Amino acid sequence: MVYNKAIRDKIPEIIKKSGFDCNVQKLPDDEFLKKLEEKLFEEVSEYGESKSFEELADILEVVFQIAKLSGISKEKLEEIRIKKNNERGGFNQNLFLIDTDKQ
């Protein structure tokens, strides 16, 4: 079976333990970043179908690695999130914009 996608570090070991062989290539950071961006969409789609908290955790894992490969720590990413939350708010009020009209 062909996959051609970013995987977690222990997946080759898990595959081998289940009786299969696999071919894995270690990509340079810039190439892997592109594959992680593809993986992000895959994980979001999987969450959309399953609504699983495990899929949400996968999304976070991918986001944190994208940030790391882009030169931003989890802590800095959280700092950016908090700043944006302070400036523009969060999603706590469940607001849904229907339209706008010039006053």
Side-chain angles (χ1 to χ4, degrees):
M1 184 172 264
V2 177
Y3 289 96
N4 289 324
K5 65 180 188 174
I7 57 172
R8 290 176 174 264
D9 298 336
K10 294 183 180 180
I11 296 300
E13 178 184 327
I14 293 168
I15 290 170
K16 288 176 185 170
K17 283 183 180 178
S18 67
F20 292 89
D21 288 324
C22 62
N23 292 310
V24 176
Q25 179 181 5
K26 183 169 173 46
L27 298 177
D29 288 353
D30 60 330
E31 288 181 40
F32 195 62
L33 180 58
K34 291 175 188 170
K35 297 301 180 185
L36 279 176
E37 290 166 347
E38 293 171 12
K39 183 75 170 177
L40 180 59
F41 288 105
E42 175 190 329
E43 296 298 349
V44 168
S45 176
E46 288 174 3
Y47 171 75
E49 292 174 17
S50 71
K51 307 299 187 234
S52 161
F53 293 120
E54 296 228 352
E55 294 301 338
L56 279 178
D58 287 345
I59 292 167
L60 287 175
E61 194 71 31
V62 171
V63 166
F64 290 151
Q65 187 62 20
I66 288 171
K68 181 180 176 184
L69 291 177
S70 300
I72 298 174
S73 68
K74 286 184 199 179
E75 295 77 18
K76 181 63 177 174
L77 187 62
E78 179 66 2
E79 211 177 285
I80 294 167
R81 186 197 69 77
I82 290 169
K83 181 177 186 262
K84 191 159 188 179
N85 184 290
N86 289 337
E87 291 172 356
R88 300 182 64 100
F91 294 93
N92 299 312
Q93 296 180 39
N94 299 353
L95 300 178
F96 181 77
L97 180 63
I98 296 168
D99 62 18
T100 63
D101 196 5
K102 187 142 178 126
Q103 295 181 4

